[in-house]
Every structure is written in C-alpha cells, then in structure tokens.
Amino acid sequence: MRIDKLLSNLGIGTRSEIKKMIKQKQIKINGELVKNGKDQLDPDSAQVSINDRPVAIQLTKYLMLNKPQNVITATEDAFQRTVLDLIAPDDLVKGLAPVGRLDKDTTGLLLLTNDGQLAHRLLAPHKHVAKTYQATIDGIVNDDTVVRFKAGVRLKDGTLCKPATLKIISVVEKDNQSEVEITITEGKYHQIKRMFAACGMHVATLNRIAMGPLNLDQALGPGQYRPLSENEIQALLKLK
Ligand code: URA
C-alpha cells in the first residue's frame, strides 16, 4: 500500500499535508526516513513513526458495495468472480470480508469490513437487524400475501419465519407481475425466494436497499463501492 494513502487513511493528514511532512523529514518507516509518499509499505508489518513517535496502524475498513449480478459473496473462489474482486488493491486490507451474503443473482447493498466484531453483531440472530429488499415477483401479490408475511411464512420444509413486512408497490395483472418491498429481520438461506415459493410465487429480481441503519447509496452503480461515512460507522457501532 502507498505510504501517503495509508497515512491519510489513518487520519494523519491529507495527502498534501503528508507530502509536506515527508519533505520536512518527519516520517520514518522501519526506522528509515520516508523520501517519497508513493513508496509502498506493508501495513501488517511496517513500523511507522512521526517525529520519532510510533504510530499505531489499525486500518479498519467499512465499505458499502452495490453488488452486481453474477458475482458471488465470498472472499475467494477458483472459478467465479467474488465481491472482493471488485475492491481496489489499496482497499483490500487483511481480513476484509462481506457481512452476510447475497445470492449470486441478488444485487444491492453489501457491507464489507475487517471489523469482525461488528460483522458478528450484525449477523447475530438475536439482534434482528432489519434488511429491506425491492423485488419483482412473478405472481400476483395481494393483501392475503401481506397478512401471511406479517404472521410469519412457513417455508416448504416446515421452517417458520419471523414476521416480515411486505409492501405492495405495484401489480400488473396482465403480466402476472408484482413489485414489492420486503423487510426481514433474519437471514435464512435464500430466505426471500423461499418465502415467496411457499406462497406459490417466484422471485424474478431481488435488490437489497437497506441493512440496519445503512441505506444503499443511489449514486453507486452496480459494482461500485465507497467507504462508509463517519456517521454511518457510528450508527452501526451503536447497534446494541
Ligand atoms: N433472500 C434471498 O432469497 N436471497 C438473497 O440474496 C437475500 C435474501
């Protein structure tokens, strides 16, 4: 990773401030004065000091990705593209991993972090973190479906889901299609597809638009990502 990028990620200063500090011979890596901010260092092993005072390197990354279709939610795979293949080398810090999983054909909000504790909290079943999806359904969703979701859908294998909120956005009877928004507070395997399958319907498209306090940034095109803002990070860390 570039020295100037790492130091600005650590909040030491902007890239131009760091350039100035380098010029003023204030920064050492492994005891050697840094001459060029573009030089590379290994954040896992480098000892950084500023004016001979050591600086702790603790790079915690929180990235919001708009997951595209045809990419799997995994950290590595021998044959298929993974969500980590969409992350630039400078952001690929050790331990970066997706929080939870979206199916290969599901799009939308996916959080990636190397903050294992936060990931664990967000996924813990008893935390009931809400996840909201927009879906196109092959079938006619009506008030009965809404009531079924509210009561908790029983999947075909007998599993009972927790109550979920289903909002009908539009129904086009001639095309046998419905647009809906659905919020669930658990994360069973293929949960939404299986909930609709239990109601005799098929999910044609699925896009996650929110997870806990995070809303998918509409400025992110498919495959694009950005770091979370400080407010977003604080909102996540506040989740009890
Ligand atoms: N439910 C599904 O069926 N698939 C997803 O990717 C997420 C929720």
Side-chain angles (χ1 to χ4, degrees), residues 31-199:
E32 301 271 333
L33 270 176
V34 174
K35 298 203 179 80
N36 189 342
K38 289 185 193 154
D39 288 351
Q40 299 286 320
L41 58 58
D42 177 359
D44 292 328
S45 61
Q47 309 274 338
V48 180
S49 64
I50 296 177
N51 295 324
D52 290 322
R53 282 221 298 274
V55 173
I57 303 182
Q58 230 257 337
L59 283 177
T60 316
K61 281 258 176 217
Y62 301 95
L63 304 175
M64 175 190 291
L65 169 71
N66 182 358
K67 180 192 169 295
Q69 282 196 333
N70 298 323
V71 170
I72 61 166
T73 310
T75 51
E76 56 183 343
D77 191 273
F79 305 106
Q80 305 191 67
R81 280 178 88 208
T82 75
V83 288
L84 284 197
D85 293 328
L86 301 169
I87 307 301
D90 270 359
D91 290 319
L92 270 182
V93 292
K94 199 172 165 204
L96 190 76
V99 178
R101 93 178 258 296
L102 293 176
D103 296 337
K104 187 173 171 182
D105 58 350
T106 299
T107 55
L109 173 57
L110 187 67
L111 174 67
L112 296 122
T113 185
N114 55 348
D115 180 343
Q117 281 186 355
L118 176 79
H120 189 74
R121 283 213 304 280
L122 284 171
L123 297 176
H126 66 276
K127 300 278 183 198
H128 310 297
V129 173
K131 284 149 282 205
T132 301
Y133 298 79
Q134 287 171 335
T136 304
I137 308 298
D138 292 331
I140 305 297
V141 178
N142 58 24
D143 289 346
D144 289 343
T145 332
V146 173
V147 169
R148 260 181 99 171
F149 273 58
K150 197 172 171 188
V153 172
R154 190 168 292 281
L155 303 179
K156 285 183 181 166
D157 67 0
T159 309
L160 183 62
C161 295
K162 292 210 163 64
T165 308
L166 180 59
K167 277 191 213 155
I168 302 170
I169 308 296
S170 64
V171 176
V172 182
E173 295 214 6
K174 72 172 177 34
D175 296 339
N176 191 40
Q177 272 208 336
S178 312
E179 298 293 330
V180 299
E181 207 172 279
I182 165 166
T183 301
I184 55 175
T185 56
E186 48 187 352
K188 299 187 195 306
Y189 185 64
H190 292 331
Q191 180 161 344
I192 293 181
K193 291 173 183 162
R194 287 158 76 210
M195 287 166 92
F196 280 99
C199 300

